[in-house]
Amino acid sequence: MARILLIGLAGDSGCQVAALGLHEALVDILVANELIYAPTLLDTKEIPDDIDVAIVEGGIRNTHEEEIIKEIREKAKIVIALGACAAFGGIPGLANLRHGKELMNEIYNNHRGTDRGTIPTHLESLPEQHPIKHFVKVDYIIPGCPPEVTDIAYTLTSLLSGNEPEYNRTQVCEDCPRERLGEYETSLKRIHEEIPDPDRCLLEQGYFCMGPATMGGCGAPCPQSGNTCEGCRGSCLDVDDQGMAMIDAMTGLLTQLKDEFDLNLYSAMLYRFTYAESVISELARRKK
Amino acid sequence: MSVQVVFCTCGGVLAEHLDIEELKSFARETQGVSEIITTDAACTKAMRDDLVEAVSQGSEKLVAFACTRSVCQKPLEAVMEDSGLDPENLVIVNAKEQLAWVHPDRGEATLKAKMLLKASIEKAISVSPTETVSFERTQAALIVGAGIAGLTAASQLIDMGVKVHVIERRPAIGGAMPLISKTFPEEDCTMCLRGPHMISMLTKPGITYHVNSEVKDVERTPKGFKVTYTKAPLDLDLEPKKGKGSPVEAITVPSAGPQEYKLIYSSEPDKEALEAVTESKCGSCTSLFPAALMVHEEKPGDKTIEVGSVILATGFKDFDPTGIPKWGYGLPDVITQYQLARLMDPIGPTGGRVLRPSDAGTPDRIVMIQCVGSRDPEYNRDCSKYCCMAAIKHATVIKKFKNPGAEITILFRDIRASGYGFEAMYNEAKELGVNFAHGDIMSVSSHGDALGIEYTDGMGEPQSLDADMVVLSTGMEPSEGSTELAELFNVELADSGFMKEVDEKVANITTRAPGVFIAGTCTGPKNIPDSIAQAGAAAYMSGSHLSIDVEKKANHPVVIEDNCGRCGICRSVCPYEAITIPEDEYPQFDAELCQSCGLCVSSCPTHALETPNYGYNLIDAQVEAILEEKGDQPLIMGFCCDDCGYNLLDTAGFTGKTYTSGFIPVYVNCMSNLSLRNVLNAVRRGADAVMLVGCVKDRCHFLKGTERSKGQMQIIEELFKMTGVKTPIKILESSGTMVTQFLEALGELEAMVKEA
């Protein structure tokens, strides 16, 4: 009987809800194991000792979260980063493109609907959003925003039965049924700008689809429902910078890209979920 | 895998600049090194046997710490072969031109040597010999232009057993020569000389004509070229009319008399002109313009043919003196030598009679003006070579056969009559009473019924002459569209606009584009015999190019199947169309088409491709090896093209330049192979600046390298700006000799590093 912890840090509980969406599988897991800490389900105040599997949602944005993740690591045999925020920093990681103080001022002083002029001081913010791997060793990641329920079930059942889970090493395109003819539009556009051909590869049609630079295994639900892949599963296994991998691919494809490519427009698409873990942000952090 | 390191002392020279003993012990301690060998001169025969003896004892990989590869690569490869090792397992550190000679500080140079040694050892560990494949070139040749040069070459090639395609822009073959009834020096009838040959060429098996067609696109393949041409619709009615053949020539403006001589081609479908053609009474055109015999069954549109070699023979166009007042062209009785040739043609517009265009009267006073549009800095600098003899020939023919009483004056700058029989012809013209006078033309204008010519004579005195007809000896210019054609085939153009040979003295048929040869007047003004001689030579060169098998390393990338999701990006980026992805399979490479540029490798977003000897991981490994040895001095990582970049650094050494030893080159076969992930890794591992040294745009040996990396650099610069990363990155487009630009760029980078 393994002792399981499920916790949310700088995230929005979506991944924890996804974990609870395991349905029957959850029943099987809970029957055979013990959920010892899960604020979404149980009222527990302290991080318990002797954790077998810690499932962590959300990244690290303040010193409180930093302390918690360190405490969990000390007490847990296995740490799983659940979802894009825990694994790569997630969408909040895009905030790292701006200065922390400037952001606090924008949100708490200038943003509509906020209590003007009161910048909270009870928590000490870190200058940047971080994936948990920046503070502790992470044993497994279950990527996605939110993660696929099947991935969560597979990882948990494999680990709990003592097997090593195996992951897809390749890209979303592997599962995408859209037809690829090898001919590309030379102008880039975003999905809301025009109505795409329903059967043809979106990238070939010029829509900025992150599928090629995004780890597969999700079954490509977004391209199949007419949306571009946003890259929520992060970079493929042997690649350390998702946005850069995409730029390499795009500059190889379209030498015209350099004239068209407005970084202000596309940086949040190249790195929507992975900016906080990117090499470029590491370099930027070093300079600060 | 272990590596042996050969230190060549270059007769002791290297030890003056580098601490060789320290480097040896450094190498000995480097992981993977099994043996250290020392020689005094790896390139000499004297040392060779000892070296072979030593090398054959060691492991199969070899790093040579020596001089430029242009000196020591061949000898070292031979040593490896004699030692039973594969020469592909050789990695050379250029410790002389790129190290000892350019970095005067012994300590700094020794540190850089360590970095280069370590990176080279990493490289040697990774390299693996690839198989050599050989295949035949496509056994067919393309000739563009069906003038005398093109047809001569075609004829020769067919006799050599080569299939020939001829692309001709006009609806008929023949070019300029058949339109001129007589040739010099012996006043032979051109059609008697060439007519039967042309007819036989039309029916010769193995030759395919694509007339009314122009080259649209050229793609290089290892076996030769894929050439796409556009065949325009043929508007001309080529059905023989009552057994009179199919004329392609007509005199237009019928009401105004024979003022204008115009060839009718489909590119300018002029209704009147077409009617004139179809109603023409001229029946000899079948031999003059064998358009009727041409196969016009080919449907209009774009088509692609594959050939192994190409001869460009696109000829010339006459200099057009229209609108230049001093020559009076536009006045009714001012014509060109070419128009005169048409008048003298027995089956030309006037039936061979030399008549004034204005009133069809016989001109008794004819003045010929030389060097119109030639030897004139304002128009064409060079001599057009043929016009002196054309004028002499026409004057002689008029005096002998057409109008012996005519008074003919040739106003010349110099008479150039240096070919076989030319001098005799010049003398004959003088004997026949043709006047030769030195004259620089000031003006040609109407003078009553006649024309008045003002000129200065050889003494600089102003003179004037009256004439019934003025004939301008216009020079030769490159034909329309030859610039675009040259560009398609990557052939250089000379300042004159004519196609440029590799060397005007010793390689005047070959161009910088392998497999593309040039012949005839597209290479510059020349007369018929010279064009024919050159065409024969071009045919030989083109044929021999086909007979040499292409040998090629099967060094295409390999697919890491676990990482590949078949997104198809590799297939689409490949400039050589070497990649196919069959249904439900992984990418497959055509060993023949793949040039191993690495664009697919660096573009693959999942890192599912790797090039054998230059790959993504190998670049990272070399970068990391270098940065492990980094000291206090700022380090500028130089990703250099293995071709122009290597030569550039060699040239800097040869020319005695010095630069910062903080610049460390990592050679990449082409910038195409360099991924931004490699560049970023260098910065992450501690490079203070990055410089990319690629080829000058359009000169990239692998087509897309420089352009692509410029695109990457533009984005990375913006991304750095946006994120506040200050590491300077620069791209230099350089040929192998642009040392000044290299030193400037490096200086700027150093300054930027200091600032950052």
Side-chain angles (χ1 to χ4, degrees):
Chain A
M1 178 156 291
R3 289 159 60 80
I4 300 174
L5 167 139
L6 178 63
I7 192 171
L9 300 175
D12 65 357
S13 307
C15 307
Q16 291 179 74
V17 173
L20 301 178
L22 290 170
H23 299 291
E24 286 81 359
L26 183 63
V27 175
D28 293 343
I29 291 168
L30 290 180
V31 166
N33 303 284
E34 188 188 355
L35 198 58
I36 51 165
Y37 182 98
T40 41
L41 294 172
L42 312 167
D43 187 13
T44 329
K45 301 289 184 226
E46 304 290 326
I47 304 288
D49 292 334
D50 302 325
I51 307 163
D52 290 305
V53 179
I55 305 168
V56 183
E57 181 219 65
I60 310 295
R61 184 74 229 211
N62 56 43
T63 48
H64 172 65
E65 288 151 0
E66 184 183 342
E67 277 169 31
I68 292 182
I69 193 63
K70 287 178 177 163
E71 187 179 345
I72 291 172
R73 180 70 266 185
E74 272 174 28
K75 295 178 172 176
K77 292 199 184 83
I78 293 171
V79 173
I80 300 175
L82 178 68
C85 296
F88 328 120
I91 292 179
L94 281 175
N96 299 359
L97 283 165
R98 298 280 180 277
H99 197 271
K101 276 194 182 143
E102 180 194 320
L103 279 170
M104 292 292 269
N105 189 47
E106 180 66 28
I107 290 162
Y108 292 100
N109 272 339
N110 298 329
H111 199 264
R112 242 183 337 157
T114 53
D115 189 0
R116 286 165 194 244
T118 318
I119 292 176
T121 50
H122 62 286
L123 284 176
E124 197 187 327
S125 285
L126 296 171
E128 291 195 343
Q129 163 87 0
H130 294 274
I132 59 174
K133 67 179 172 190
H134 282 180
F135 297 95
V136 298
K137 178 176 174 282
V138 174
D139 302 298
Y140 300 97
I141 67 160
I142 304 176
C145 184
E148 296 303 310
V149 170
T150 44
D151 272 1
I152 303 172
Y154 168 71
T155 308
L156 282 180
T157 46
S158 310
L159 288 174
L160 296 172
S161 58
N163 297 320
E164 190 67 14
E166 279 178 16
Y167 294 102
N168 191 314
R169 302 176 68 82
T170 170
Q171 59 208 152
V172 170
C173 309
E174 171 108 82
D175 299 325
C176 182
R178 286 177 175 269
E179 193 185 5
R180 293 185 281 271
L181 303 176
E183 303 273 318
Y184 284 79
E185 278 288 324
T186 51
S187 63
L188 274 181
K189 49 187 176 269
R190 291 187 291 168
I191 196 71
H192 62 272
E193 292 180 59
E194 273 173 47
I195 297 170
D197 179 320
D199 303 318
R200 176 108 189 265
C201 168
L202 290 167
L203 192 60
E204 288 190 353
Q205 294 181 62
Y207 295 98
F208 197 89
C209 177
M210 283 294 288
T214 303
M215 185 195 284
C218 54
C222 302
Q224 291 197 59
S225 59
N227 283 307
T228 45
C229 169
E230 296 185 345
C232 73
R233 293 171 64 83
S235 60
C236 307
L237 270 189
D238 279 350
V239 177
D240 57 10
D241 191 304
Q242 189 181 18
M244 220 42 80
M246 194 64 187
I247 293 175
D248 276 332
M250 298 294 283
T251 48
L253 278 175
L254 314 167
T255 32
Q256 298 94 320
L257 181 73
K258 59 179 185 284
D259 303 322
E260 294 242 350
F261 196 80
D262 179 356
L263 259 182
N264 280 310
L265 199 62
Y266 290 102
S267 57
M269 299 181 76
L270 288 165
Y271 289 111
R272 179 160 296 177
F273 300 89
T274 59
Y275 183 68
E277 70 150 10
S278 66
V279 178
I280 194 110
S281 73
E282 183 189 321
L283 299 180
R285 204 174 304 124
R286 221 189 270 175
K287 295 283 164 185
K288 274 177 191 165
Chain B
M1 189 65 74
S2 60
V3 175
Q4 48 181 330
V5 182
V6 172
F7 281 89
C8 175
T9 64
C10 201
V13 172
L14 286 182
E16 291 168 20
H17 302 268
L18 299 161
D19 189 338
I20 299 289
E21 288 313 313
E22 191 185 329
L23 287 169
K24 275 189 202 166
S25 56
F26 173 80
R28 208 169 282 126
E29 283 157 22
T30 302
Q31 207 177 0
V33 174
S34 52
E35 295 91 5
I36 306 282
I37 298 164
T38 311
T39 174
D40 276 341
C43 54
T44 59
K45 283 207 165 106
M47 298 289 160
R48 193 188 149 94
D49 290 345
D50 289 348
L51 197 54
V52 171
E53 167 84 32
V55 167
S56 58
Q57 314 278 319
S59 51
E60 61 186 40
K61 305 282 180 94
L62 189 83
V63 168
F65 188 84
C67 62
T68 171
R69 67 179 180 203
S70 52
V71 172
C72 68
Q73 184 172 354
K74 292 281 173 218
L76 280 164
E77 280 178 356
V79 164
M80 288 190 78
E81 263 172 27
D82 290 352
S83 312
L85 306 180
D86 193 314
E88 264 192 273
N89 282 326
L90 170 70
V91 180
I92 299 170
V93 180
N94 182 346
K96 199 157 100 181
E97 290 81 358
Q98 299 189 10
L99 194 60
W101 286 1
V102 289
H103 306 310
D105 185 292
R106 189 180 165 92
E108 283 183 12
T110 305
L111 175 64
K112 177 168 174 176
K114 284 181 186 172
M115 294 179 182
L116 296 178
L117 252 178
K118 198 164 177 184
S120 300
I121 291 163
E122 277 299 330
K123 179 164 182 177
I125 290 169
S126 298
V127 295
S128 59
T130 45
E131 202 188 322
T132 301
V133 285
S134 83
F135 39 84
E136 265 198 345
R137 289 209 163 90
T138 306
Q139 292 300 301
L142 168 67
I143 292 166
V144 185
I148 45 151
L151 290 180
T152 303
S155 169
Q156 307 270 326
L157 278 165
I158 287 178
D159 292 346
M160 289 158 79
V162 176
K163 236 181 95 186
V164 178
H165 288 275
V166 177
I167 292 180
E168 167 58 49
R169 181 163 61 190
R170 298 177 185 181
I173 63 167
M177 178 174 165
L179 297 166
I180 301 158
S181 65
K182 301 245 182 252
T183 56
F184 55 82
E186 273 137 6
E187 297 152 30
D188 281 318
C189 159
T190 50
M191 284 316 289
C192 308
L193 283 172
R194 298 299 284 181
H197 179 250
M198 278 162 60
I199 307 273
S200 80
M201 285 297 291
L202 280 169
T203 51
K204 222 162 183 170
I207 182 162
T208 316
Y209 292 97
H210 311 283
V211 294
N212 222 31
S213 300
E214 287 190 61
V215 177
K216 184 187 175 195
D217 190 36
V218 178
E219 189 197 313
R220 262 187 180 278
T221 70
K223 291 172 94 175
F225 307 83
K226 273 188 192 165
V227 178
T228 304
Y229 62 92
T230 304
K231 186 182 170 80
L234 201 61
D235 293 334
L236 210 56
D237 180 3
L238 286 160
E239 287 303 307
K241 301 286 182 210
K242 295 175 186 169
K244 285 178 182 163
S246 282
V248 191
E249 184 183 33
I251 308 159
T252 57
V253 206
S255 54
Q259 283 184 332
E260 202 179 341
Y261 315 99
K262 192 173 178 186
L263 295 177
I264 309 302
Y265 293 120
S266 60
S267 58
E268 37 192 46
D270 172 330
K271 202 167 171 237
E272 254 180 44
L274 276 172
E275 276 165 16
V277 170
T278 48
E279 287 161 16
S280 164
K281 296 203 163 44
C282 165
S284 306
C285 348
T286 328
S287 63
L288 184 59
F289 284 105
L293 294 176
M294 303 293 306
V295 182
H296 286 290
E297 282 147 10
E298 195 177 28
K299 296 248 169 0
D302 288 359
K303 280 165 212 85
T304 302
I305 45 176
E306 286 195 45
V307 294
S309 65
V310 176
I311 297 174
L312 301 180
T314 48
F316 70 99
K317 76 165 194 267
D318 249 348
F319 172 75
D320 182 2
T322 307
I324 301 161
K326 68 172 172 180
W327 287 312
Y329 193 65
L331 294 172
D333 293 327
V334 179
I335 64 172
T336 65
Q337 286 292 359
Y338 167 69
Q339 287 170 328
L340 178 59
R342 295 305 302 134
L343 292 183
M344 287 163 61
D345 189 337
I347 45 177
T350 53
R353 289 178 301 155
V354 176
L355 301 175
R356 279 172 30 130
S358 62
D359 58 2
T362 306
D364 288 325
R365 295 169 299 170
I366 300 173
V367 171
M368 297 185 178
I369 298 174
Q370 298 306 104
C371 298
V372 175
S374 307
R375 304 181 69 201
D376 186 333
E378 214 176 315
Y379 306 105
N380 296 303
R381 190 191 55 197
D382 297 325
C383 169
S384 283
K385 288 183 182 171
Y386 89 106
C387 356
C388 283
M389 293 314 295
I392 292 170
K393 170 194 71 177
H394 285 163
T396 306
V397 173
I398 291 171
K399 287 294 262 184
K400 272 162 91 172
F401 307 110
K402 309 284 181 185
N403 182 6
E407 192 179 296
I408 304 177
T409 305
I410 296 180
L411 293 176
F412 64 89
R413 284 193 184 149
D414 291 295
I415 287 291
R416 296 184 166 180
S418 64
Y420 164 77
F422 292 5
E423 190 63 20
M425 200 170 168
Y426 179 26
N427 290 332
E428 186 192 6
K430 284 193 269 189
E431 276 162 27
L432 285 166
V434 176
N435 303 319
F436 287 87
H438 193 283
D440 277 326
I441 302 303
M442 290 152 72
S443 74
V444 175
S445 55
S446 285
H447 197 235
D449 280 351
L451 295 159
I453 300 114
E454 306 282 333
Y455 67 99
T456 48
D457 66 13
M459 309 301 287
E461 297 295 321
Q463 303 287 347
S464 63
L465 259 175
D466 278 359
D468 300 323
M469 190 158 87
V470 166
V471 184
L472 304 177
S473 297
T474 46
M476 283 184 181
E477 288 189 338
S479 59
E480 294 288 347
S482 54
T483 309
E484 292 79 6
L485 188 74
E487 205 167 286
L488 282 171
F489 282 102
N490 196 23
V491 168
E492 225 173 326
L493 292 177
D495 294 343
S496 58
F498 287 101
M499 292 183 193
K500 195 171 178 334
E501 55 288 274
V502 166
D503 186 288
E504 53 279 3
K505 296 169 291 295
V506 295
N508 59 8
I509 288 152
T510 41
T511 67
R512 74 168 179 200
V516 181
F517 306 94
I518 46 177
T521 49
C522 70
T523 73
K526 54 181 65 61
N527 56 36
I528 293 164
D530 288 355
S531 288
I532 287 179
Q534 205 182 14
Y540 167 76
M541 306 275 281
S542 163
S544 98
H545 184 76
L546 295 181
S547 65
I548 302 162
D549 279 1
V550 187
E551 283 220 333
K552 190 182 167 304
K553 288 280 174 194
N555 54 358
H556 56 79
V558 289
V559 182
I560 305 160
E561 295 185 356
D562 274 355
N563 288 10
C564 176
R566 293 183 285 254
C567 67
I569 285 174
C570 52
R571 174 182 59 184
S572 299
V573 300
C574 177
Y576 305 99
E577 295 180 9
I579 306 175
T580 48
I581 310 178
E583 183 107 28
D584 295 326
E585 280 184 60
Y586 291 102
Q588 290 177 2
F589 288 81
D590 188 320
E592 188 183 306
L593 293 177
C594 175
Q595 301 298 298
S596 204
C597 69
L599 187 57
C600 57
V601 176
S602 68
S603 298
C604 175
T606 66
H607 187 201
L609 295 171
E610 190 61 289
T611 359
N613 293 336
Y614 276 105
Y616 180 93
N617 286 341
L618 181 52
I619 296 172
D620 274 358
Q622 292 180 82
V623 163
E624 286 161 23
I626 288 165
L627 288 167
E628 276 168 22
E629 299 303 318
K630 189 192 166 195
D632 298 334
Q633 194 192 16
L635 191 143
I636 299 170
M637 192 63 74
F639 292 104
C640 301
C641 159
D642 200 32
D643 211 304
C644 291
Y646 193 97
N647 293 334
L648 175 73
L649 294 193
D650 266 7
T651 312
F654 290 141
T655 52
K657 300 286 186 302
T658 59
Y659 52 88
T660 170
S661 66
F663 176 82
I664 314 290
V666 170
Y667 289 107
V668 186
N669 59 331
C670 172
M671 285 299 124
S672 305
N673 206 342
L674 189 68
S675 142
L676 275 180
R677 288 163 277 170
N678 292 128
V679 175
L680 231 53
N681 186 46
V683 180
R684 183 194 219 172
R685 306 274 174 172
D688 299 287
V690 175
M691 181 155 159
L692 270 59
V693 184
C695 300
V696 179
K697 193 181 168 258
D698 300 335
R699 294 282 179 97
C700 171
H701 308 271
F702 296 100
L703 307 174
K704 283 190 184 172
T706 308
E707 206 185 345
R708 196 290 190 95
S709 45
K710 274 167 78 181
Q712 287 173 316
M713 285 310 112
Q714 207 162 327
I715 292 176
I716 199 81
E717 263 174 35
E718 276 181 54
L719 205 52
F720 275 15
K721 212 185 283 167
M722 185 184 252
T723 54
V725 179
K726 298 258 166 32
T727 311
I729 293 190
K730 215 179 198 15
I731 178 161
L732 179 72
E733 292 178 62
S734 177
S735 71
T737 52
M738 290 163 63
V739 176
T740 317
Q741 287 89 331
F742 165 68
L743 296 176
E744 265 171 29
L746 195 56
E748 282 169 31
L749 264 184
E750 278 187 273
M752 284 158 85
V753 170
K754 271 195 195 125
E755 234 172 77

